[in-house]
Amino acid sequence: MIEHDTTLAGIARSLVASGKGILAVDESTATCNKRFAKLGIAQTEEMRRSYRDLLLSAPGLAGFISGAILYDETLRQSTADGTPFVSVMESAGMLPGIKVDTGTVPLTGGSSEKITEGLDGLPARVAEYRRLGARFAKWRAVVTLGDGLPTQQCLEANAHALARYARLCQDGGLVPIVEPEVLMDGAHLLAECERVTEETLQRVFAALRLYGVALDAMILKPSMVIAGTDAAAQADGDEVARATVACLRRTVPAAVAGIAFLSGGQGDVRATEHLDAMNRLPVAKPWPLTFSYGRALQEPALEHWCGATDHVAEAQRRLVQRARCNAAAACGAYTPAMETEAVIDATYRDAFEPPAEAAFETPLFNERSLFRAV
Ligand code: 5MM
């Protein structure tokens, strides 16, 4: 029998285990309905349940996915035969997670910047989610780039909310995923995204320290350093990889259990290529670099399914295909040929061959600097 490390640090390590990543299925009802509406899928609780059933029950998914982040509604739902999703995940070896923020609102009256809410009553919700089977949580803050943006108030308020959320989760027995997303919307160049991402992460880690969050029992979910969607020039994959890893090396302590990127609206294959390029870089990365994608994992499956029962098996295959490509990218072992190869079985990931060990530079952070031991 396999012994699992059920400490918070052990759960955090399992989530970023080699060759695995996290599936984000935590779209709120409004977001899920918006995606369904675009494809002409009925926006009902039963259709949302059927869709999440398709995803979480996909054969072979657990070979590449360590855990899935769910929304409140989904955490309480079951498969068509009445088996709770939480049980389905546990039996397959995937950890159930839960989004605990309640969404964003304007930072101040008339502001175009956002603050994330959900701290009120959080300890009681954490306790309930834990009873329901959740083992980790997620909170997303958003940072908008633009003329005079982001403001100091936005960065500071969101950093403190993220840190307080993370501490409350650890106190209540959930591993926090800390997600500060620098949005891709806008015409900013890569260098501007890098400057803002660095400042955002510096403030987030200062706040995490202030709140005594144990770094080895948390996961960072950042956006990649990338030019805005409307930028005059888009950086290539190698530039994105170098800028992102350099920014993380300047800001993220080595003690953090792992880094699992969001995809943020990048195309699915592009998100895979960027993750792969980062893992191939011959520089020291003191944390595992993996994925916690939503759209970049789900889109091919959702677009094929479109609500049709007889499309379920192929939609599941498309999800597992994307999961497999990203799991390979998390080892720096993705190849474009994988896009068309059949997924043989869940153990196929054992065949990933990471690139030959390069002569790594001296790590920037080679000491474990835990803020707090759990
Ligand atoms: C940034 O969005 C998160 C990651 O998904 P992508 O890889 O698609 O960028 C995602 O987990 C997001 O937080 C959830 O979808 C919840 O979104 P809403 O808007 O419903 O709170």
Side-chain angles (χ1 to χ4, degrees):
M1 195 180 117
I2 303 169
E3 289 289 325
H4 293 288
D5 182 347
T6 55
T7 62
L8 290 186
I11 290 168
R13 278 194 301 275
S14 303
L15 286 168
V16 293
S18 175
K20 290 205 181 185
I22 300 165
L23 170 64
V25 202
D26 59 322
E27 301 83 9
S28 56
T29 298
T31 302
C32 187
N33 284 348
K34 215 174 351 165
R35 296 201 179 140
F36 278 12
K38 262 195 194 158
L39 296 167
I41 304 168
Q43 295 122 65
T44 62
E45 182 175 346
E46 175 51 22
M47 286 308 262
R48 292 192 296 275
R49 191 209 61 74
S50 299
Y51 177 56
R52 270 66 183 256
D53 191 348
L54 174 167
L55 298 175
L56 299 171
S57 312
L61 186 67
F64 313 108
I65 295 292
S66 54
I69 317 168
L70 311 179
Y71 181 59
D72 183 273
E73 177 182 273
T74 320
L75 186 74
R76 301 170 195 276
Q77 286 176 327
S78 303
T79 59
D81 71 6
T83 313
F85 286 152
V86 168
S87 309
V88 169
M89 293 177 66
E90 282 167 352
S91 308
M94 294 186 290
L95 290 160
I98 179 75
K99 164 197 171 84
V100 299
D101 67 69
T102 56
T104 59
V105 294
L107 181 63
T108 54
S111 169
S112 61
E113 295 186 298
K114 307 278 189 215
I115 179 75
T116 303
E117 293 194 325
L119 289 169
D120 288 354
L122 183 56
R125 288 194 294 126
V126 165
E128 190 199 2
Y129 287 142
R130 207 172 182 289
R131 272 199 307 278
L132 289 170
R135 290 294 169 261
F136 68 102
K138 196 207 83 169
W139 177 291
R140 169 175 172 253
V142 294
V143 174
T144 311
L145 271 73
D147 199 13
L149 302 182
T151 62
Q152 301 297 308
Q153 301 92 298
C154 172
L155 295 180
E156 205 56 26
N158 276 299
H160 278 263
L162 277 167
R164 194 168 155 223
Y165 137 81
R167 179 60 196 252
L168 289 171
C169 282
Q170 288 185 342
D171 290 348
L174 295 180
V175 169
I177 294 186
V178 172
E179 181 180 0
E181 177 178 8
V182 176
L183 293 175
M184 280 170 62
D185 304 342
H188 52 274
L189 297 175
L190 177 128
E192 179 61 1
C193 179
E194 183 168 4
R195 185 187 69 73
V196 171
T197 304
E198 179 162 348
E199 189 171 357
T200 301
L201 292 176
Q202 274 167 354
R203 282 174 190 261
V204 167
F205 281 99
L208 291 167
R209 176 182 286 276
L210 188 64
Y211 279 86
V213 172
L215 298 181
D216 65 340
M218 65 156 270
I219 288 164
L220 178 71
K221 176 166 172 169
S223 37
M224 295 179 195
V225 173
I226 201 163
T229 322
D230 303 324
Q234 287 294 328
D236 68 24
D238 195 50
E239 286 172 291
V240 169
R242 285 182 187 282
T244 305
V245 170
C247 183
L248 295 171
R249 279 169 38 113
R250 291 195 295 270
T251 50
V252 183
V256 167
I259 297 178
F261 291 97
L262 59 89
S263 59
Q266 303 177 51
D268 51 5
V269 175
R270 197 164 172 234
T272 305
E273 289 168 348
H274 285 160
L275 179 63
D276 186 63
M278 283 188 249
N279 279 303
R280 284 177 191 265
L281 282 181
V283 295
K285 286 147 278 184
W287 354 254
L289 290 182
T290 188
F291 59 95
S292 174
Y293 296 160
R295 284 161 288 180
L297 280 170
Q298 292 183 47
E299 257 168 16
L302 177 61
E303 284 170 10
H304 182 81
W305 175 60
C306 269
T309 315
D310 57 342
H311 288 186
V312 167
E314 173 58 18
Q316 289 179 320
R317 193 199 64 77
R318 291 181 188 208
L319 169 71
V320 176
Q321 179 77 316
R322 282 260 55 78
R324 175 186 175 238
C325 290
N326 284 301
C331 301
Y334 165 76
T335 60
M338 288 178 177
E339 296 295 342
T340 47
E341 280 169 11
V343 177
I344 296 168
D345 63 41
T347 59
Y348 197 64
R349 69 186 183 88
D350 295 340
F352 296 155
E353 280 181 28
E357 190 82 354
F360 285 159
E361 295 168 17
T362 311
L364 266 187
F365 298 100
N366 51 11
E367 297 291 327
R368 282 173 66 80
S369 55
L370 305 189
F371 291 164
R372 184 173 65 99
V374 174

